[in-house]
Amino acid sequence: MLTSTSSAYEEQNTNIETTKTLDQDEKKDDSTNQPDSISSPKSQYATDPPKDVPTEKDISSNETTHEQVRKHLMNLIDQEIHFIETICPKLGNHQEHIKKEVKEASNMFEKLKVEACQLKELKDLKKTVTKLKLQIPAKYRRYDVTDQQKDQQYDVDNKSIISTKLQKLMPRLHSKLFHDSSFCKTIQQRYDKLSRELKLCLLCFSVFPENALISRRLMVYWWIGEGFVPQEDDLIVGKTQEDYANDFFKELMDKEFIEPIIPKSYRRNVAICKMHPMIRAAIIMIADKVNFFDFDEYGNPKDFGKFDEIDTPDEIPINYPLGDPREFFDFYDENYKETEEAIEFFDSYGDPTPFFVYPENKDQPHVEDQNRSKEKETHKKHYFYKKKKIITRSYKVCLMGSGLSKGITWEKLHLLFNIKDDILEFKPEWFIRMKNANMVFLGRWQSSAAHHIEVEDFKFQESLENMNHVRFFSLQGVSRISELPNSISKLESLLILDLRACHNLELIPKTIGALKFLTHLDMSECYLLQEMPKEISCLQSLQVLKGFVVVESPGRHVCTLHDLINLENLRKLSMYTHMRIFPQESHLDALQKLDMLRKLTILWSSHESSLNFVKSKVNGQCKRKVKLPLIKLIPKKTWVKGSMRRMNAFNTSTLGSRLEKLDLKCFPSNVTPNWLTPGSLKALKKLYIRAGKFSDLGQYQEVLEWDDSPPPPKDTWNVEVLRLKYLDEIKMDWRELQDLFPNIMSLEKVKCPRLTLFPCNEHGVWNKMTSSTT
């Protein structure tokens, strides 16, 4: 079990690494609010002194207190050095430097013990040892609280940790009392009225922790992968599987099984939801009853990971804090008969309950039988046990933080879902046996990038050979994967490949073109990808392509936007480019030929636009960048004040007349091109602009005055949903925006200081329906 200090330390480091991603300003995680001084619970390996330690001022005036603090620090240093020395043999050569440093710290500690040292020297050494301990990989620190666990049965000083024994005494929602309650019966009745498909979709929410924020995108992919939505042959013309899944999500929200985390007026655009704890408890009881997942007595998915490492029942409190020994062992009384008596982890004195191995042959005395005489001396109850074989009622297994067990029936497994395993350790033979799995979700499900997942020595090449029934395969947020293997082509039935935020991914294999049924390919936030293989253009079924890289001088084997013309079903595309001037006329020409394209996202890498700025030299030295002068206009042509400057290129080109949603991120220029005007995007309903130098939504339009005739009306947008974030250059008041966007229904603005008099709420949100009712 990780100490809270270790967890907080890792979360902070993770947040530092992930602040470079595009969405860093929107991603709010509790770990970013951690104080500089992180406290930890009282344990054998605590890293900070308790709160009641006196200050140095008090110590100087009180010799007795000074000695107490000194002994406390000496004790903590000794414990942590001992722990590190115990773990070091397991680290191998990779952590050889830890062994060297802990030896130096140990020598210093021995020196301070025999000398009259200052309290500051002990504190400095304590900090050094703590930092050294935190360098140990998380998997070796997971179960470092052992001997002191018994003494912490009622220790709740840290609100994030509840002891095992206290949790045993706490009331549980999914008890018989709750099952018989009117609330639970009401949820059951509401559940019974749902369609079969909607019931299955609802039960998927039971696997997530209480009050978890759950992504709509994840649930949509899950339901498609498991076949809960109509198959391709049963679809209505013009409607996709993703459309059906989105309808299911909305229906569950309308029926109030799940709730959005944004105001109800934005229910149509909800991306994140959660489930009320009471509803979750009732849904868990239903899911447990129909064997949708295997749950423990506390309503959490069962953790089968370390089952093979448990040899005696008294090890269960360490590996399974919420487990019940009867789940893993059969118990017998002294007459070798099965007993239904409750088996406790500890007796009233906090000592482990004694267990003995049940002899296979009753006629042969067992070595442990010699200890049975202790019962008369200690008056303690003794039990005999046999280890059970692992039993899974469901064909779905969750990773709960301790890996997987050898005892799982891999051939029957249909789903593998990672709930909270941050270090993936799998053997290729396990995946080879997963012949019937249709969903393998190894990545993170959390929306926040702070949740980091690592994989060690996972040999993909051998692992994917026989998994030809998988339809949804996710590695989202998994690091240390530099390339996909050629064997990815073996996933013949794959519909959704989720590689989002695999930050070390550098190569997509050419064999990806063999995935003829692939409908969703997500490579967004994989910023080490330099190019796309041309074989992507062979994915005839592809509907959603995210993270496509556009290069300036593509080679003959690199996929270009023009190659995507072959994807006749492509309706959603997101692109990433390092090009200074993008899109060019050839790019716009290719985009116009994508007849089914409805949603487009463009992300520019950070650079200075060559169109707006040049470097000036004064006395041979480069000075600050200055704007290029405006081109002088012909005398007869007059312009309104602040007239718009347009890029002088491809005046008639556009992104496509059918485009409904456009999302621009880090727009590199404050000169608005002609393809981004109200008249060029008549079908556009949603416009999102985030970061960059964008400064013109069409408020500055050319007005020609050749005679005394009245000026023509300005072009206006048909956009209904507008989002503007982190734009310092754009200047407009609320009346101007209403003139340009007469059909606007909702608006969100974040950190746009020159947008004035906007009637937004404290979250920067305005909604027409809400404002009209107030």
Side-chain angles (χ1 to χ4, degrees), residues 5 37-42 45-51 53 72-73 76 80 126-127 130:
T5 303
S37 179
I38 304 173
S39 61
S40 64
K42 293 183 289 184
Y45 306 108
T47 56
D48 292 317
K51 296 180 180 179
V53 174
H72 179 76
L73 288 173
L76 289 178
E80 293 198 352
K126 171 66 173 57
K127 291 180 181 179
T130 298

Side-chain angles (χ1 to χ4, degrees), residues 146-198:
T146 53
D147 297 335
Q148 292 291 322
Q149 186 171 2
K150 294 176 294 183
D151 299 332
Q152 299 176 35
Q153 290 174 14
Y154 296 99
D155 180 11
V156 290
D157 287 350
N158 189 303
K159 296 181 180 179
S160 64
I161 294 181
I162 302 178
S163 69
T164 300
K165 196 159 187 178
L166 275 181
Q167 295 208 36
K168 287 284 185 180
L169 299 176
M170 290 174 64
R172 298 190 293 264
L173 287 179
H174 26 277
S175 61
K176 188 177 185 304
L177 180 63
F178 178 72
H179 184 274
D180 296 335
S181 66
S182 59
F183 176 84
C184 194
K185 291 179 180 178
T186 300
I187 297 297
Q188 179 71 56
Q189 292 172 358
R190 291 171 55 191
Y191 171 84
D192 292 338
K193 293 179 181 179
L194 300 177
S195 64
R196 177 181 177 275
E197 294 80 9
L198 211 56

Side-chain angles (χ1 to χ4, degrees), residues 13 34 51 62 91 231 354 367 437 449 458 757:
N13 284 345
Q34 290 285 354
K51 296 180 180 179
N62 192 324
L91 303 180
Q231 301 304 302
V367 64
F458 183 27
L757 303 177

Side-chain angles (χ1 to χ4, degrees), residues 580-583 604 607-614 626-631 639 642-651 664 666-677 689 691-700 702 727 729-730:
R580 290 181 176 271
I581 303 177
F582 178 84
W604 286 267
H607 53 68
E608 295 291 347
S609 174
S610 59
L611 292 175
N612 306 309
F613 298 92
V614 294
V626 296
K627 291 185 178 180
L628 284 171
L630 292 176
I631 299 175
W639 298 72
S643 59
M644 175 174 58
R645 294 165 293 149
R646 298 286 182 196
M647 291 184 181
N648 188 19
F650 41 92
N651 292 332
L664 305 177
C666 300
F667 191 77
S669 174
N670 55 9
V671 178
T672 306
N674 280 336
W675 53 263
L676 186 55
T677 58
I689 303 176
K693 301 175 182 177
F694 193 88
S695 63
D696 182 11
L697 285 171
Q699 66 269 35
Y700 309 128
E702 302 173 1
L727 300 173
E729 301 295 331
I730 189 169

Side-chain angles (χ1 to χ4, degrees), residues 360-602:
E360 295 295 335
N361 190 340
K362 298 180 182 180
D363 298 332
Q364 297 179 1
H366 195 274
V367 64
E368 298 288 355
D369 289 350
Q370 301 174 5
N371 295 328
R372 294 179 61 195
S373 60
K374 294 182 179 179
E375 181 179 354
K376 296 180 180 179
E377 300 174 3
T378 61
H379 305 287
K380 294 180 181 178
K381 182 68 176 177
H382 290 70
Y383 299 95
F384 296 89
Y385 66 88
K386 277 185 180 179
K387 190 173 183 180
K388 289 182 179 180
K389 290 184 178 180
I390 190 169
I391 298 176
T392 58
R393 297 180 302 156
S394 171
Y395 293 148
K396 308 176 193 294
V397 172
C398 294
L399 300 174
M400 297 299 295
S402 56
L404 290 172
S405 171
K406 301 175 185 176
I408 294 176
T409 309
W410 301 99
E411 290 78 7
K412 296 182 179 181
L413 199 63
H414 288 178
L415 178 146
L416 180 63
F417 192 87
N418 185 2
I419 293 295
K420 59 177 182 180
D421 205 345
D422 55 356
I423 299 179
L424 303 177
E425 295 180 278
F426 300 114
K427 296 182 179 179
E429 58 267 23
W430 294 351
F431 281 80
I432 292 174
R433 293 170 55 191
M434 291 171 59
K435 298 180 180 180
N436 293 303
N438 54 40
M439 173 176 165
V440 179
F441 193 98
L442 302 179
R444 69 163 193 260
W445 57 267
Q446 296 88 346
S447 300
S448 171
H451 294 85
H452 185 67
I453 298 176
E454 296 181 4
V455 60
E456 293 188 0
D457 300 326
F458 183 27
K459 300 178 181 179
F460 283 102
Q461 188 66 36
E462 299 88 351
S463 303
L464 306 180
E465 293 291 337
N466 297 325
M467 297 172 61
N468 51 13
H469 291 292
V470 172
R471 294 190 290 184
F472 177 23
F473 187 69
S474 175
L475 296 171
Q476 178 179 337
V478 179
S479 66
R480 299 182 65 180
I481 298 177
S482 59
E483 63 180 277
L484 291 179
N486 292 327
S487 60
I488 193 71
S489 61
K490 299 297 182 180
L491 304 179
E492 300 174 356
S493 303
L494 193 64
L495 299 177
I496 302 170
L497 179 58
D498 185 7
L499 306 173
R500 186 185 185 99
C502 291
H503 299 302
N504 297 110
L505 186 63
E506 300 177 7
L507 181 64
I508 302 294
K510 296 180 179 180
T511 55
I512 197 172
L515 303 176
K516 300 300 181 182
F517 298 102
L518 194 69
T519 60
H520 294 68
L521 175 58
D522 192 345
M523 302 171 290
S524 52
E525 300 181 42
C526 298
Y527 298 120
L528 292 185
L529 288 174
Q530 297 298 316
E531 58 187 27
M532 298 283 102
K534 190 172 285 288
E535 285 72 16
I536 286 182
S537 62
C538 299
L539 302 174
Q540 298 292 330
S541 301
L542 203 61
Q543 300 173 11
V544 177
L545 175 58
K546 296 183 178 181
F548 185 80
V549 179
V550 181
V551 297
E552 190 163 6
S553 301
R556 58 183 299 183
H557 299 296
V558 176
C559 189
T560 65
L561 280 178
H562 187 75
D563 294 325
L564 298 184
I565 297 175
N566 298 326
L567 306 181
E568 298 179 353
N569 297 306
L570 190 65
R571 55 186 179 79
K572 185 185 297 184
L573 173 65
S574 73
M575 298 180 289
Y576 172 73
T577 183
H578 293 277
M579 296 179 62
R580 290 181 176 271
I581 303 177
F582 178 84
Q584 299 174 357
E585 189 169 4
S586 60
H587 302 136
L588 292 171
D589 181 63
L591 290 171
Q592 290 183 74
K593 294 179 180 179
L594 296 173
D595 294 334
M596 297 297 293
L597 189 64
R598 297 294 182 267
K599 300 179 180 180
L600 177 64
T601 300
I602 305 176

Side-chain angles (χ1 to χ4, degrees), residues 171-393:
R172 298 190 293 264
L173 287 179
H174 26 277
S175 61
K176 188 177 185 304
L177 180 63
F178 178 72
H179 184 274
D180 296 335
S181 66
S182 59
F183 176 84
C184 194
K185 291 179 180 178
T186 300
I187 297 297
Q188 179 71 56
Q189 292 172 358
R190 291 171 55 191
Y191 171 84
D192 292 338
K193 293 179 181 179
L194 300 177
S195 64
R196 177 181 177 275
E197 294 80 9
L198 211 56
K199 287 179 180 177
L200 294 171
C201 293
L202 178 59
L203 294 179
C204 294
F205 288 93
S206 63
V207 76
F208 297 101
E210 187 173 302
N211 291 321
L213 301 182
I214 305 165
S215 167
R216 174 175 57 107
R217 168 183 168 273
L218 164 62
M219 304 311 295
V220 166
Y221 287 177
W222 184 342
W223 299 338
I224 294 175
E226 283 238 67
F228 296 161
V229 298
Q231 301 304 302
E232 290 292 337
D233 297 337
D234 302 324
L235 295 177
I236 300 176
V237 177
K239 198 167 185 177
T240 65
Q241 288 185 311
E242 186 172 346
D243 293 333
Y244 276 99
N246 280 313
D247 290 343
F248 288 165
F249 186 89
K250 183 178 183 301
E251 188 173 353
L252 290 175
M253 193 161 50
D254 292 338
K255 294 181 180 298
E256 298 184 345
F257 284 105
I258 57 177
E259 56 189 63
I261 63 168
I262 59 177
K264 292 184 178 181
S265 56
Y266 291 87
R267 293 172 81 98
R268 293 178 300 173
N269 303 317
V270 170
I272 304 291
C273 73
K274 66 178 180 179
M275 180 174 280
H276 191 279
M278 294 286 286
I279 296 178
R280 172 182 174 270
I283 296 301
I284 286 175
M285 296 189 69
I286 298 173
D288 188 37
K289 184 167 58 177
V290 300
N291 296 334
F292 195 77
F293 279 104
D294 287 293
F295 296 94
D296 62 20
E297 60 180 321
Y298 287 88
N300 300 312
K302 282 188 178 178
D303 187 355
F304 296 107
K306 293 293 182 180
F307 174 79
D308 300 301
E309 299 180 9
I310 297 177
D311 295 319
T312 62
D314 53 351
E315 294 179 3
I316 293 178
I318 301 173
N319 295 282
Y320 294 82
L322 303 180
D324 187 333
R326 291 190 181 276
E327 295 185 22
F328 312 102
F329 297 91
D330 288 317
F331 291 91
Y332 302 85
D333 62 14
E334 57 185 3
N335 297 320
Y336 305 112
K337 295 181 180 179
E338 284 195 46
T339 175
E340 297 297 330
E341 295 182 29
I343 307 298
E344 296 182 355
F345 293 120
F346 302 100
D347 61 18
S348 58
Y349 297 98
D351 298 321
T353 303
F355 301 97
F356 298 112
V357 177
Y358 183 73
E360 295 295 335
N361 190 340
K362 298 180 182 180
D363 298 332
Q364 297 179 1
H366 195 274
V367 64
E368 298 288 355
D369 289 350
Q370 301 174 5
N371 295 328
R372 294 179 61 195
S373 60
K374 294 182 179 179
E375 181 179 354
K376 296 180 180 179
E377 300 174 3
T378 61
H379 305 287
K380 294 180 181 178
K381 182 68 176 177
H382 290 70
Y383 299 95
F384 296 89
Y385 66 88
K386 277 185 180 179
K387 190 173 183 180
K388 289 182 179 180
K389 290 184 178 180
I390 190 169
I391 298 176
T392 58
R393 297 180 302 156

